[in-house]
Amino acid sequence: MNGAEHPAGRYGNPELLDRLAAAYVLGTLGRLPRRRFERLVRSRESAARALKKWESHGAALAAVVPPVQPSSAVWRGIERRTGLGAPASRQWAGWLRPALGFACGLLLTVGVVRLQPDWIVSADLPPQAVLPASYVGLLTDAEGRPAALASSRRRGMDLSVKLLQPLAVPAGQVAVLWALPKGRAPFRLGALQAAPKQMLKMSDSSEALLSEVDELGVSLEPSADSSRPSAAFVLRGHCVKLW
């Protein structure tokens, strides 16, 4: 075969199987690759294990990730293509909205985490070790676009932050990341810099600080030492516990 690797041999690579299983569960595999992977799952125990792992990841996220409301443009596109805009069919649109809203939230979180595994998985772990026990926050901007990914290993004291788009901070102000626990006042996690990748040192472990935190937010403050947010959040998003 002129030195080329036989296709069957490629499937012994755990990293490849993990990527295929993730794409299968997220629905991003094409029709033919999907069929090939289904045959592979039936014939190889390692592929079946990879699929089972990603199915369990999806089930766990489904239990903790709150729904995200799609934009009006998404609904207009759905109604235009399916005819759900017709008066007689609006009851179906009402039934689909919560289901699709939940799916958008789940896929958005899983997709971004999958595209940025180096901010949740340590470099010294094997490539198939994805999504370890962590707290993960995905913050979006006013248009609902992913803007920042924050993560901390369970019981860790470091909070990794990955800016998915530039954060504009006016002169004389500081971007501050806040934890927003339900029913309690927000508390400061740290000041953000302009660097795309950065690490914040938290005052306590993630288990102690984030176990009851549902959301994270970023506001622009006059000082990095602000004890309470004094302005509206420019970024905000859900914080979830993985595994």
Side-chain angles (χ1 to χ4, degrees), residues 1 11 23 30 41 48 54-55 76 82-83 86-87 98 104 106 111 140 147 171 178 187 197 206 211 214 219-220 229:
M1 296 183 64
Y11 296 126
V41 168
W54 269 96
E55 287 177 337
R76 287 195 298 270
T82 63
C104 285
L106 176 61
T140 60
W178 304 90
F187 59 89
K197 300 178 181 180
S206 60
S211 61
D214 297 323
S219 66
L220 302 178

Side-chain angles (χ1 to χ4, degrees), residues 140-188:
T140 60
D141 61 15
E143 285 72 43
R145 296 172 300 189
L149 180 68
S151 67
S152 178
R153 298 290 292 270
R154 296 272 295 278
R155 291 172 289 280
M157 296 188 68
D158 293 325
L159 182 67
S160 300
V161 178
K162 165 73 173 179
L163 296 182
L164 305 176
Q165 57 176 280
L167 181 59
V169 181
Q173 293 186 307
V174 179
V176 178
L177 178 64
W178 304 90
L180 311 177
K182 183 177 294 184
R184 293 194 289 123
F187 59 89
R188 182 170 55 88

Side-chain angles (χ1 to χ4, degrees), residues 25 27 38 59 64 66-67 118 133 140 149 156 171 177 194 215:
V25 170
E38 289 170 348
V64 297
D118 55 315
T140 60
L149 180 68
L177 178 64
E215 291 184 287

Side-chain angles (χ1 to χ4, degrees), residues 157 187-189 201-205 209:
M157 296 188 68
F187 59 89
R188 182 170 55 88
L189 292 172
K201 180 67 70 173
M202 296 187 294
S203 61
D204 206 338
S205 71
L209 294 177

Side-chain angles (χ1 to χ4, degrees), residues 70-85 97:
S71 68
S72 57
V74 172
W75 291 120
R76 287 195 298 270
I78 292 174
E79 291 174 350
R80 183 175 61 254
R81 296 187 182 190
T82 63
L84 291 177
R97 282 177 187 270

Side-chain angles (χ1 to χ4, degrees), residues 25-92:
V25 170
L26 294 176
T28 58
L29 275 183
R31 181 172 58 88
L32 293 179
R34 192 174 183 86
R35 288 182 177 177
R36 284 197 296 269
F37 183 69
E38 289 170 348
R39 290 196 296 269
L40 193 65
V41 168
R42 291 193 293 268
S43 62
R44 282 180 176 256
E45 184 180 351
S46 55
R49 284 198 305 268
L51 177 59
K52 184 177 180 180
K53 180 181 73 173
W54 269 96
E55 287 177 337
S56 67
H57 287 348
L61 282 171
V64 297
V65 176
V68 172
Q69 180 64 37
S71 68
S72 57
V74 172
W75 291 120
R76 287 195 298 270
I78 292 174
E79 291 174 350
R80 183 175 61 254
R81 296 187 182 190
T82 63
L84 291 177
S89 300
R90 289 196 181 275
Q91 57 179 330
W92 290 99

